[in-house]
Amino acid sequence: GQNIDQPTEMTATEGAIVQINCTYQTSGFNGLFWYQQHAGEAPTFLSYNVLDGLEEKGRFSSFLSRSKGYSYLLLKELQMKDSASYLCAPEVGNTPLVFGKGTRLSVIA
Amino acid sequence: NAGVMQNPRHLVRRRGQEARLRCSPMKGHSHVYWYRQLPEEGLKFMVYLQKENIIDESGMPKERFSAEFPKEGPSILRIQQVVRGDSAAYFCASSAAGTQPQHFGDGTRLSIL
């Protein structure tokens, strides 16, 4: 089985930077996905990390440390529209993704 | 629209009725996944299918629930004799192969009266 741990809720200010952490314990790890889900909407793909290190994509960056079973999603220049749940999902072999419960981010003015 | 299409968006059923949820994957995708999401909860994997085959149904209740992905047509998630606890959002996702990422449909919100 997999064990995925993310903070349940976070609050940050518009224009600031926020880091959402995810730790996981799994065997047969391939890579790690981050998805964004606005309330009442479908999850949308944000990033996929296979190698250790930071991958930057606009205002969003994702980091992976395979040896530590740790990833984070970094959101810069926060906007109100970034208020959403952020889901961490380790990929194990060709098995279906198992999602963490997600971190609900609230961006306040 | 080349995305994952789910219908209906909203479905209301009375206890004991049957619910049928449909999912057409993205063009070129042959792998379909169904997830259930309760309010304020995370996505729970239910079943993984390829054309005409169930690959993994470890997350699907053994009774009342079934899924298929026929050679022609959409994937169907079928819930028989629905109960109040079946009320949830049901999301379908598709991918090109066992490789990811999965692309999600907008979901079907099932309400049981």
Side-chain angles (χ1 to χ4, degrees), chain A residues 44-65:
Chain A
T44 55
F45 168 73
L46 287 179
S47 66
Y48 176 57
N49 291 64
V50 175
L51 302 176
D52 284 352
L54 186 68
E55 293 207 6
E56 299 187 61
K57 196 187 290 185
R59 292 189 301 113
F60 291 12
S61 303
S62 55
F63 172 85
L64 177 66
S65 168

